Amino acid sequence: MGGFIKRPIQPLQQSKVDQALVKMIATDFQPFSIVEDRGFRAYTEALDPSYVLPSRGTISKRMLPNLFEKVRADIEEQIKTAPAVCLTTDCWTSNTTTSYMSVTCHYITDFKLRSNLLDCFVVTEQHTSQNLAQELSRVAKEWGIQDKIAACVTDNASNIVRAVNDILKWNHVRCFAHWLNLTVRYSVHQSEIQALILKVKSIAEYVCRSTVASAKLREMQLQMGQVQLRMKQDVATRWNSTYYMLQRVIEIKEPLVSTLALINPLLPALTPEEWDITKEVCDILKPFEEGTVEMSSESFVTGSKAILMARGLQRIVAHRQRNPSIHEPQIWRKDLSKLKGSECLLKLHFWTLASKSMPLSMKGTQRKLSRVVGAATHAAKPKLPSTEEEEEEEEEEGGTPVSPPSEPVPKFWADFEERVTTLRPGIKNPITEAMLEIKGFLAEPLIPRKADPLEWWRVRALVYHNVCTIMKTRLCIVATSVPSERVFSKTGQIITDRRNRLSPSKKRELVFLNPNL
């Protein structure tokens, strides 16, 4: 019998596998040098002996840039079909003191909310409002979206707020998650609460550092028939990490108390009243943590939910203020004025209507409706035929054109005659068309809270065509700048010791490809 004959791989198959290799490198944060690792080469040889691995230079200089250009072109084509976009942006400094700025884009196509990273780049200049505005303007022009930006979502830093509001004149939306963070941090910044948090933090740090304490805690959990859970520590920049730390202490209270009693470390123990206060603080913070998690999603419409959630949290806080429990500290000592102003700051009066998940409140109803009617009228105007076209259509349909009046109309009746004429049956009028659409839209039943508003609009797009056009320019607006912040967690994984020689252009391509593939 003859030996095994190694057949060369077909060019089309070689190209397909090459592309999959580059995608793996960008998706899994692998270094280009992986193609030189003996284990990886042996693995690919076992999968397909005919496949020839490209060199790291080929991947870096040709294959990665080609994939970058292809993905960018595909995204650019998608964004072109969107009537409006929402941008989010944030800045971050790496552990090498390099400053980065990210810009993400959110838009609606085919009644789906889509999100893409437009750019993540090094910022060498100072973070002045003027410099940040120039960078945002540059990104918008490169992608051809400068005329369709419905809003830009950022944190509360004064430099970026001024860049968006005062310099670029874009509709600015303050990040809902940052507002939650500031609200909670302000509320728990009291001597009684801070003393309690410091006590719990010292216990968590001790147990996490001590191998003896950690082992004894696991042993006590097994003896008590509980699931083995580790202590959690808080992070200074994330308020919800403090909540997770306190919640975990409550969950493992009995085995933790037993462990500390046996080891007897020199730590301040929590009194029975402090245990009760810890539980009460967790109960208070839980709705805010749930809100932070839900509003940080990128896969569904969040704008209208921000308004609903703000109102719900207002009611919870107001109830706590009126009916505090025995052990509960007065954590909300000041009325949440920022919470009450959140809906004004959003400047998105149409969110409450477009989401179809909440009724139109009586307060400001006329103002909201008049704005929506005006927007819907504007959307209907481009479709209006000219006077000559109307007459031709009427003649084709067998109608008789309205003859001019036989006698002159007094000037004080001229405006009345014009309005009545445009409102006669059979003639499309943008105002009446918009009002009829909105009347029918308001009569529709509300959808469940967890239902997708975009799916509701997909089914009814033809019925409420003009209102649907406006909806696409509102529901694309996200409530938080979390998408831009997530980019930096991936950037930190790309900039590692194995990739310390990457050029800025290669870092930029990899950071762009990772979330967009």
Side-chain angles (χ1 to χ4, degrees), residues 243-255:
Y243 165 77
Y244 296 141
M245 179 183 69
L246 298 177
Q247 186 63 35
R248 178 52 53 87
V249 166
I250 295 297
E251 292 172 346
I252 62 174
K253 175 184 175 181
E254 293 182 4

Side-chain angles (χ1 to χ4, degrees), residues 115-176:
S115 300
N116 291 111
L117 172 65
L118 298 186
D119 208 344
C120 182
F121 49 91
V122 175
V123 180
T124 55
E125 303 292 335
Q126 290 185 335
H127 290 192
T128 63
S129 299
Q130 191 65 44
N131 290 337
L132 295 179
Q134 287 178 358
E135 294 292 357
L136 287 174
S137 179
R138 175 189 60 79
V139 173
K141 288 178 181 177
E142 285 182 0
W143 286 86
I145 57 175
Q146 62 270 30
D147 296 327
K148 57 168 67 175
I149 299 174
C152 184
V153 186
T154 74
D155 59 20
N156 296 323
S158 59
N159 55 350
I160 190 64
V161 171
R162 182 173 178 273
V164 175
N165 258 336
D166 302 336
I167 301 177
L168 295 174
K169 306 297 183 182
W170 292 349
N171 181 29
H172 179 254
V173 177
R174 294 179 185 267
C175 174
F176 189 78

